[in-house]
Amino acid sequence: KYAEVYTICNYNIRYYNGTSDSNNKGDKAWPTRKAKVFEMITDYSMDVCGLEEVTATMANDIVNTLTDYTYIGYGRDNGKLQGEGAGGEQTGLIFKTAHFELLDQGRFFLSNTPDKVSKLSGANFNRMVAWVKLKDKEFGGEFFFFSTHFDNDYDAKHVNVRSQQADIAIAKVPEIAGDLPYFFVGDFNCETSEVAYEKLSTAFDDAYLKMGADALGGYVCNEKQLANSKIAPKCACEGNTYTGLYSSSDNWPKRIDLVLFDDTKATVSYYNADNDNMGLDMYPSDHLPVITKMSIIE
């Protein structure tokens, strides 16, 4: 009752708030790079993909350009859907409209009051998980897909915030999914040495680890990064999904974009954090897309 393989992905496409922001000019500007983001999505024929850092302008471009997909995004400022007054940066996802029927959807905040617009004490922003329940139109099988964006910053306070957010997600995701297969993807902003990642990788299976030596891709540092004594050691880590190229403060590469699942309900046969810059000096985003091929166990 499921297709043989689903292309399950995640892509933080880097916010755009206008060229008055120095980090959104030139090759970093959304109008310059958006065609490459969309090309990456269509080249891989992604079935379902989590998208983070989507602004209203970007969401409109997604809807108008990726016409084979349904886009669902919730604004973190008010929890409303794109097209229904979504406020602030959106956590969202796309799925192939022709392949899947949308049975249900929702979002919850990574806070102590997940049903209300809210955040944990110490968090920089409201953070949430957006989700859909999908039905394969051809085969009839159903599964859940969850997309998230954990809090940022790397001081002790935010490391602790992400640990708490992991606890909330670990409780809520399986509760919503019930007995059905699910995929939980996103920019978790936690390095693999953090407690948050330890919790997540204990509760869920990490597609990158499951693929082991067969995992492909990962960001390769440029000469400037390799020459920086503080950044260079991070370049030796395999599978980095964040490039550090757009920021002067958060400028070291790391593996923070994850595709998580339950390996009693699905198996992974392909993993690629695609490091193609698509001809741009700064890459289509400061994150690489994570592409997996998943088969649901029947």
Side-chain angles (χ1 to χ4, degrees), residues 26-290:
D27 266 7
K28 298 178 181 179
W30 174 248
T32 302
R33 56 191 179 83
K34 65 182 178 181
K36 300 299 184 181
V37 168
F38 297 149
E39 185 179 340
M40 187 72 80
I41 290 168
T42 55
D43 279 357
Y44 275 104
S45 191
M46 298 178 181
D47 285 308
V48 196
C49 185
L51 300 175
E52 297 85 47
E53 296 195 22
V54 183
T55 64
T57 296
M58 298 164 78
N60 286 332
D61 287 340
I62 292 167
V63 171
N64 292 330
T65 305
L66 296 177
T67 54
D68 290 340
Y69 288 87
T70 296
Y71 171 75
I72 291 174
Y74 292 90
R76 68 186 180 192
D77 290 353
N78 59 9
K80 293 184 178 181
L81 277 166
Q82 168 68 11
E84 297 181 6
E89 194 174 286
Q90 297 176 25
T91 297
L93 57 96
I94 53 173
F95 62 86
K96 284 184 176 176
T97 309
H99 289 189
F100 302 104
E101 177 185 352
L102 178 63
L103 298 181
D104 200 0
Q105 68 186 81
R107 49 79 177 151
F108 63 87
F109 285 86
L110 292 167
S111 73
N112 294 321
T113 53
D115 295 330
K116 298 180 180 179
V117 179
S118 54
K119 65 179 182 178
L120 288 171
S121 175
N124 284 330
F125 304 103
N126 299 337
R127 299 293 189 175
M128 72 174 76
V129 175
W131 60 266
V132 289
K133 182 182 181 181
L134 300 176
K135 180 177 181 178
D136 189 309
K137 288 184 177 180
E138 180 177 358
F139 298 98
E142 300 173 6
F143 64 89
F144 280 83
F145 183 88
F146 299 83
S147 173
T148 194
H149 191 186
F150 277 24
D151 212 52
N152 58 326
D153 282 346
Y154 290 88
D155 54 50
K157 178 176 70 173
H158 293 95
V159 167
N160 180 58
V161 165
R162 285 191 289 277
S163 177
Q164 294 178 68
Q165 290 174 332
D167 289 335
I168 296 163
I170 287 166
K172 294 286 290 183
V173 166
E175 174 188 317
I176 293 170
D179 294 331
L180 286 176
Y182 61 84
F183 305 101
F184 181 27
V185 310
D187 172 4
F188 290 83
N189 263 323
C190 58
E191 297 197 61
T192 54
S193 59
E194 286 188 30
V195 172
Y197 177 77
E198 293 174 9
K199 290 177 176 179
L200 290 166
S201 60
T202 298
F204 308 109
D205 295 287
D206 182 339
Y208 174 80
L209 295 184
K210 281 292 179 180
M211 286 302 298
D214 292 325
L216 303 175
Y219 174 66
V220 178
C221 289
N222 62 25
E223 292 182 2
K224 184 177 180 181
Q225 289 172 314
L226 290 169
N228 185 312
S229 60
K230 292 183 178 180
I231 296 175
K234 298 289 188 177
C235 295
C237 301
E238 295 182 356
N240 287 323
T241 61
Y242 174 75
T243 68
L245 293 177
Y246 281 61
S247 174
S248 58
S249 56
D250 184 8
N251 57 1
W252 67 97
K254 40 194 173 266
R255 187 172 77 87
I256 56 177
D257 303 270
L258 309 174
V259 174
L260 305 174
F261 67 108
D262 178 350
D263 72 356
T264 69
K265 296 178 180 178
T267 59
V268 58
S269 58
Y270 175 89
Y271 176 101
N272 187 7
D274 194 319
N275 60 6
D276 187 351
N277 66 5
M278 308 288 281
L280 298 175
D281 289 339
M282 298 302 293
Y283 285 70
S285 174
D286 54 348
H287 292 248
L288 304 184
V290 177

